[in-house]
Amino acid sequence: IYSNNYILYNMASIDMLQIRGIRSFNPGRDEVIKFYSPLTMIVGANGCGKTTIIEALKFACTGQLPPNSRSGQSFINDPSMTDCAEVKAQIKLKFHSQRGLVNLAIRSLQLTRKRTKLEYKALDSVLETKDVETNERS
């Protein structure tokens, strides 16, 4: 809906989800999922990451880890799978608010392999808002 050069949105919408180092998603490469209006279907074979996409959306919005993720240890790609000491993971969610503001939620995580255990750490949680009319960020 357009009114006096302003776009009025009836509801919030998801634009893009970027995942790196979460479960089966490669820690060395960003995978981008674009969402389309009015509907985006997530389809794929067993084990390809459909549930991980939904869990990443929930984590980006709420900061809540999925059930049975052993306090985050099984949510991040296992460092021993890539023979590394640590894996840095990140989820970025770009969405429009009801008022048409562009928002970017970024959550950064780390899983470090110690001698006998894995150590999970939440590194960063950022919410950035950009006004499309003024390009002002907050």
Side-chain angles (χ1 to χ4, degrees):
I1 303 170
Y2 294 92
S3 171
N4 297 334
N5 295 329
Y6 291 97
I7 301 173
L8 302 175
Y9 293 91
N10 291 327
M11 56 191 226
S13 63
I14 299 171
D15 297 329
M16 177 272 303
L17 178 69
Q18 182 177 305
I19 303 173
R20 180 179 67 233
I22 301 294
R23 300 227 170 149
S24 62
F25 286 84
N26 188 331
R29 182 175 75 231
D30 292 332
E31 298 290 340
V32 177
I33 298 109
K34 293 187 179 180
F35 293 82
Y36 299 96
S37 181
L39 175 71
T40 297
M41 293 182 62
I42 301 171
V43 181
N46 287 346
C48 71
K50 299 178 302 291
T51 301
T52 302
I53 291 169
I54 302 305
E55 291 172 341
L57 280 167
K58 180 181 178 186
F59 184 75
C61 293
T62 67
Q64 290 182 329
L65 289 166
N68 303 320
S69 64
R70 295 187 355 236
S71 301
Q73 294 177 6
S74 64
F75 188 51
I76 300 174
N77 195 289
D78 189 345
S80 50
M81 298 295 286
T82 55
D83 201 29
C84 295
E86 72 179 22
V87 168
K88 291 191 176 179
Q90 190 173 68
I91 299 170
K92 290 183 181 180
L93 177 65
K94 182 180 175 188
F95 62 98
H96 280 83
S97 71
Q98 284 181 306
R99 295 185 299 146
L101 299 175
V102 178
N103 299 281
L104 183 63
I106 305 169
R107 296 199 185 259
S108 301
L109 313 164
Q110 177 178 300
L111 190 62
T112 306
R113 182 177 53 173
K114 301 289 184 181
R115 289 182 190 219
T116 59
K117 64 177 185 166
L118 294 172
E119 184 179 286
Y120 164 84
K121 186 189 293 184
L123 298 176
D124 215 6
S125 293
V126 176
L127 179 60
E128 183 180 286
T129 302
K130 178 181 170 187
D131 187 319
V132 290
E133 291 294 317
T134 64
N135 273 341
E136 187 175 309
R137 295 178 186 264
S138 59

